[in-house]
Amino acid sequence: MKSDRLLSILLLLQTRGRVPARELAERLEVSVRTVYRDVESLSAAGVPVYAERGRHGGIELLAGFRTDVTGLTADESRALFVLAAQGAHTALGLDAAFGSALRKVMAALPAPHRPAAETASRRILVDATRWRGGPQPAVDLEVLRDAVFADRRLRLRYRHSGERQVRTYTVDPYGLVAKAGVWYLVADRRAAPRLFRADRVHSARLLDDPVRRRRGVELADVWEVLRRQVEARPERLDVTVRVRRDRLDMFLRLTAPLLAGLPEDDGESEWVTARLTYGALGETRQLLAFADQVEVLSPPQVREELARTAASVTGLYRRPGRAPG
């Protein structure tokens, strides 16, 4: 609609300053001629907008002009107030700032949209943490946050998974990513992308040197590369199990991240077949927590691993126990 397009032009100019007509046309998916017609319409409506021709020209608002119009629709207003997990803002030390920002946005919303936005904030909550994920270690993100906001290099003392040794790295941060309730620092080390889990950082120190990122590379670009590397790791183990129907709901809740698809369920049998994907053989020991309510059908090496582990546990408890102290 033309009214939406005019408002989009107004907000872009207010945010960006001078913008070339061709760039506006590309953003709004219209012709340059249409952009100039829209500018004339804004001017006729009393908006102090003007166009300058030439190589360094563009469309611009008169200096000092501001509008309080947000241009938000009812659905856009709701979207802003669907809150993500509060822990994200707490971890970054932005709880107070986030609440203040939402109050300001609420005040700026068109009056008819305010009840819908307020209702959305009370009725919808996104919690990115998993059920029964276990207690998460406390993570101090203050120095990491300061580094990514101030564009400074970091000196990390970091312990990798499965290692006791703490290593020291100098890195160039791109930003922080929260993935399923776990925080990661995305950074370059010697111009190569690296992923550091925040709860494995023993200490972090902000350096005086400015960050040295690769030109034209953004956080989303590096995260996509690292995410694909993690997901493409060859340690993939497909496991087929059968689950007693009366334990199926619990099984699905506890193994949801590992499910390779919907279980095969005819609605009548005592057992239901499901398929899981693990990253390593040792991870399949998780299935022993279901005792005789879950049986591995394939592959054979998983059955053998669980049998060995179960025999070891049985042997441990058949020995006389030691008294405390």
Side-chain angles (χ1 to χ4, degrees):
M1 294 176 60
K2 182 176 180 179
S3 58
D4 289 339
R5 197 169 65 243
L6 293 177
L7 187 54
S8 295
I9 292 175
L10 177 58
L11 294 175
L12 280 169
L13 295 179
Q14 185 169 289
T15 304
R16 296 273 310 279
R18 180 177 298 182
V19 181
R22 186 171 298 279
E23 181 179 336
L24 285 173
E26 290 175 356
R27 281 175 169 266
L28 300 173
E29 299 180 348
V30 295
S31 68
V32 173
R33 181 176 297 179
T34 298
V35 168
Y36 281 119
R37 283 202 299 264
D38 289 343
V39 168
E40 291 176 1
S41 298
L42 285 172
S43 181
V47 176
V49 59
Y50 63 94
E52 285 193 4
R53 306 278 181 175
R55 181 178 178 184
H56 300 292
I59 297 169
E60 190 172 0
L61 293 170
L62 190 66
F65 174 80
R66 303 291 295 175
T67 176
D68 292 330
V69 176
T70 66
L72 293 174
T73 66
D75 282 345
E76 289 167 343
S77 303
R78 289 191 185 97
L80 283 176
F81 285 83
V82 173
L83 307 185
Q86 295 270 334
H89 307 101
T90 302
L92 292 172
L94 296 174
D95 258 351
F98 183 69
S100 175
L102 285 181
R103 287 191 295 272
K104 291 177 181 177
V105 171
M106 179 68 81
L109 286 177
H113 298 342
R114 291 175 193 169
E118 188 176 353
T119 299
S121 69
R122 298 199 310 266
R123 298 291 183 265
I124 306 295
L125 177 67
V126 179
D127 187 344
T129 58
R130 297 175 182 173
W131 290 113
R132 300 176 183 266
Q136 294 293 327
V139 180
D140 185 0
L141 293 176
E142 183 177 357
V143 178
L144 305 185
R145 180 201 64 192
D146 291 346
V148 301
F149 287 163
D151 289 334
R152 302 263 290 279
R153 306 191 90 192
L154 268 174
R155 180 71 50 80
L156 299 180
R157 295 187 69 249
Y158 185 80
R159 183 187 60 80
H160 292 276
S161 176
E163 294 186 6
R164 293 186 177 181
Q165 179 183 358
V166 177
R167 302 176 183 269
T168 302
Y169 299 107
T170 299
V171 300
D172 297 291
Y174 284 91
L176 292 164
V177 174
K179 172 76 168 172
V182 179
W183 283 96
Y184 294 90
L185 173 71
V186 176
D188 272 355
R189 179 173 181 262
R190 297 176 180 172
R194 296 288 297 272
L195 193 62
F196 298 92
R197 185 164 163 156
D199 57 15
R200 294 187 188 140
V201 175
H202 276 232
S203 66
R205 182 165 59 89
L206 206 61
L207 302 181
D208 293 332
D209 303 330
V211 72
R212 304 172 188 173
R213 301 188 185 107
R214 286 167 284 150
R215 187 181 299 274
V217 179
E218 298 292 339
L219 170 62
D221 305 320
V222 186
W223 172 251
E224 182 65 16
V225 170
L226 294 169
R227 184 185 63 79
R228 289 182 178 180
Q229 288 177 358
V230 172
E231 293 177 354
R233 285 176 181 170
E235 308 93 31
R236 174 188 171 97
L237 188 60
D238 294 324
V239 179
T240 302
V241 302
R242 64 173 190 164
V243 187
R244 290 192 186 275
R245 178 175 298 282
D246 57 1
R247 287 290 180 267
L248 182 60
D249 286 346
M250 179 186 294
F251 174 82
L252 294 178
R253 287 199 303 272
L254 298 181
T255 62
L258 304 169
L259 287 173
L262 294 176
E264 298 175 8
D265 185 3
D266 59 11
E268 299 178 357
S269 304
E270 178 186 357
W271 295 89
V272 177
T273 302
R275 290 175 175 80
L276 308 170
T277 301
Y278 287 94
L281 183 60
E283 294 177 6
T284 63
R285 295 172 188 166
Q286 171 207 37
L287 295 171
L288 289 173
F290 296 99
D292 60 352
Q293 306 301 308
V294 173
E295 180 188 3
V296 172
L297 301 179
S298 67
Q301 64 264 36
V302 174
R303 291 179 61 91
E304 294 166 3
E305 172 71 13
L306 298 189
R308 281 194 301 269
T309 305
S312 176
V313 172
T314 300
L316 175 66
Y317 284 101
R318 280 181 174 170
R319 295 198 299 268
R322 293 183 177 179

